[in-house]
Amino acid sequence: MNNKEVVAKIIFDVVHDDLTLDQVEYLLENPKSAAHGDVAFPTFSLAKIYRKAPQQIASELAEQIDDTAFEKVEVVGPYINFFMDKKKVSHDVLTTVIEQGEHYGDFNIGNDDNVPIDMSSPNIAKPISMGHLRSTVIGNSIALILQKVGYQPVKINHLGDWGTQFGKLIVAYKKWGIEEKVRNNPIEELLNLYVEFHEKAEEEPALEEEGRAAFRKLENGDQEAVDLWKWFRSESLKEFDKIYDMLGITFDSYKGEAFYEDKMDEIVELLEEKHLLKEDRGAEIVDLSAYDLNPALIKKRDGGTLYITRDMAAALYRKRTYDFAKSLYVVGNEQSYHFKQLKAVLKEMGFDWSDDMHHIPFGLITKDGKKLSTRKGTVVLLEEVLNDAI
Ligand code: ARG
């Protein structure tokens, strides 16, 4: 029993013909100043019933109240102030904590419903950054809280393991990469190659097209491209796991963006069926002006799919797989617009469960007032930060 429940019971013992236990508990206040006790009972609402001044009611009630369990009970004007017996309260609380252990404070509002939590979700072939730390630890805390209140959290690491950047990385590796070096130091070497690609591409814009072509090859299942991609992915996962071990955080699923590669056709078909796709300069878009949002770009001119298309496939997959009560995305606030569009497109498709999807944003971590950029090599490595902290 918490303090209010204890006090409510004592007061109810003397007023029980006139107020219910719930009414008494509802009336109780937490005084702003400790000088007025821990819990206060205002007697105004009894004035009508008893046809007496509240001050008088307070004094009369206080006389009948069993105050043995309290440090003291004081009447101040129309209020009865209760001072809890700190020794007793501490003893009771600690005894309960010891008895109930990790189940202390459990309650069930979740009915065991599933709640997928999209969290951490770093991009492979890049180091986990400080930004991913926030998603990881906030996501994990939310999972623990949900579990405590009776939900089944499903922690999903939606790895960034697909997209044009892997085309760029394949091009960079084939041009300048040394297998030996990548084997010994995968993340650092792959990051160097990625940074190098962007430096060179500034002077040699044709590289960008090569990168896009290499990604198309990957999408079409070209053996060499797929093998390189698999290798980059597994090396990256090994590195990520070191960090998750340090944090003591585990995941229920590592299905990342690549997993949805063969599930996007269905999305495009559904959009076509519902006549939602529009052509715009060769690209396929969904108009979202009804939601006051810019159109969602579903397919690029070259047929390549996009981040949002993969997220649509992932949302549908999660609904089908987990029949979720809520679906959470713990992702930085720089992606707020993306999640607004994502929810809007799904809603437009008639998926009303998109209302149960929630983006949980957090602020951007900057260094010297600037955004951390993997491309520019100014990223702060999470592993270094954790080691420093330890
Ligand atoms: N990989 C992305 C990033 O590092 C985060 C992915 C968030 N989750 C999602 N379903 N879009 O920015």
Side-chain angles (χ1 to χ4, degrees):
M1 274 202 288
N2 64 40
N3 293 347
K4 275 192 178 170
E5 285 165 347
V6 172
V7 171
K9 232 185 132 281
I10 299 273
I11 296 173
F12 178 66
D13 283 344
V14 291
V15 300
H16 59 248
D17 288 332
D18 310 306
L19 292 174
T20 67
L21 182 60
D22 281 347
Q23 284 172 326
V24 175
E25 200 180 324
Y26 178 76
L27 288 172
L28 292 175
E29 293 174 9
N30 292 113
K32 287 191 187 70
S33 144
H36 294 135
D38 301 296
V39 178
F41 180 65
T43 54
F44 306 104
S45 13
L46 286 169
K48 268 196 219 118
I49 306 173
Y50 294 164
R51 298 181 171 284
K52 284 182 192 166
Q55 286 83 344
Q56 196 187 344
I57 297 173
S59 320
E60 288 176 12
L61 282 183
E63 265 164 40
Q64 301 167 51
I65 276 170
D66 172 13
D67 61 2
T68 46
F70 299 94
E71 203 172 274
K72 62 180 172 182
V73 176
E74 240 173 37
V75 175
V76 178
Y79 286 91
I80 309 176
N81 296 335
F82 295 81
F83 295 76
M84 305 306 292
D85 179 340
K86 311 237 171 356
K87 259 199 191 146
K88 189 179 176 309
V89 172
S90 316
H91 178 267
D92 289 353
V93 170
L94 294 177
T95 312
T96 320
V97 170
I98 290 165
E99 270 168 22
Q100 301 184 349
E102 67 178 61
H103 291 295
Y104 178 73
D106 277 5
F107 62 98
N108 189 350
I109 52 169
N111 296 314
D112 271 344
D113 284 343
N114 287 330
V115 179
I117 307 172
D118 188 305
M119 53 181 269
S120 200
S121 311
N123 302 316
I124 67 160
K126 291 187 195 176
I128 292 198
S129 76
M130 279 294 289
H132 294 111
L133 170 66
R134 299 193 107 175
S135 171
T136 311
V137 298
I138 295 170
N140 197 59
S141 302
I142 292 173
L144 291 170
I145 294 167
L146 287 175
Q147 200 164 23
K148 194 93 192 140
V149 299
Y151 287 98
Q152 297 276 356
V154 185
K155 294 185 276 180
I156 301 177
N157 199 333
H158 186 78
L159 293 172
D161 55 4
W162 208 244
T164 333
Q165 70 266 34
F166 297 102
K168 296 178 183 177
L169 198 60
I170 289 170
V171 170
Y173 177 74
K174 284 172 68 178
K175 282 189 193 292
W176 316 298
I178 300 165
E179 185 175 338
E180 174 84 7
K181 267 176 127 183
V182 176
R183 285 215 182 280
N184 293 337
N185 222 343
I187 300 272
E188 209 180 304
E189 270 316 304
L190 293 175
L191 177 64
N192 287 341
L193 286 170
Y194 192 66
V195 173
E196 190 172 346
F197 181 93
H198 284 278
E199 280 166 6
K200 295 244 163 84
E202 298 241 315
E203 289 136 41
E204 214 183 308
L207 271 178
E208 295 280 352
E209 186 39 48
E210 269 186 66
R212 276 194 290 272
F215 179 57
R216 271 197 302 275
K217 272 188 161 179
L218 181 61
E219 280 195 304
N220 294 330
D222 173 83
Q223 200 53 50
E224 188 193 19
V226 170
D227 287 345
L228 281 175
W229 172 80
K230 276 194 181 150
W231 178 42
F232 297 158
R233 188 181 193 272
S234 71
E235 293 297 341
S236 299
L237 272 183
K238 276 188 229 156
E239 295 284 308
F240 296 163
D241 278 341
K242 277 193 217 158
I243 288 169
Y244 297 138
D245 282 348
M246 274 169 111
L247 293 167
I249 290 177
T250 56
F251 295 89
D252 301 301
S253 161
Y254 278 91
K255 290 196 170 73
E257 294 186 40
F259 176 76
Y260 300 100
E261 171 66 5
D262 64 359
K263 295 173 182 57
M264 284 183 288
D265 284 348
E266 186 191 352
I267 294 292
V268 174
E269 277 158 26
L270 283 170
L271 286 169
E272 271 165 358
E273 248 169 56
K274 297 184 179 174
H275 306 292
L276 291 172
L277 274 190
K278 278 200 193 130
E279 217 205 276
D280 184 59
R281 279 161 288 172
E284 306 266 18
I285 61 163
V286 175
D287 181 74
L288 295 177
S289 50
Y291 301 81
D292 254 336
L293 294 168
N294 293 329
L297 182 57
I298 302 295
K299 243 185 180 179
K300 289 192 275 193
R301 211 166 5 160
D302 63 8
T305 52
L306 290 127
Y307 185 54
I308 194 164
T309 324
R310 289 189 282 279
D311 256 332
M312 291 165 73
L316 184 57
Y317 177 84
R318 286 174 197 172
K319 184 65 196 173
R320 286 174 178 161
T321 309
Y322 303 111
D323 189 27
F324 56 69
K326 293 174 204 304
S327 179
L328 310 181
Y329 295 83
V330 187
V331 185
N333 61 12
E334 70 276 12
Q335 293 192 33
S336 291
Y337 202 82
H338 163 76
F339 285 104
K340 277 191 192 142
Q341 286 184 313
L342 175 64
K343 286 183 63 166
V345 195
L346 291 168
K347 185 87 179 176
E348 197 60 8
M349 292 169 83
F351 295 134
D352 283 336
W353 46 259
S354 60
D355 291 337
D356 302 321
M357 289 166 50
H358 301 282
H359 174 215
I360 299 174
F362 51 81
L364 194 66
I365 294 189
T366 54
K367 194 180 167 204
D368 309 323
K370 286 196 205 96
K371 207 179 146 181
L372 307 174
S373 157
T374 318
R375 286 187 203 185
K376 297 192 183 113
T378 56
V379 70
V380 173
L381 302 192
L382 182 52
E383 194 172 355
E384 286 172 14
V385 176
L386 291 178
N387 281 327
D388 281 356
I390 290 166

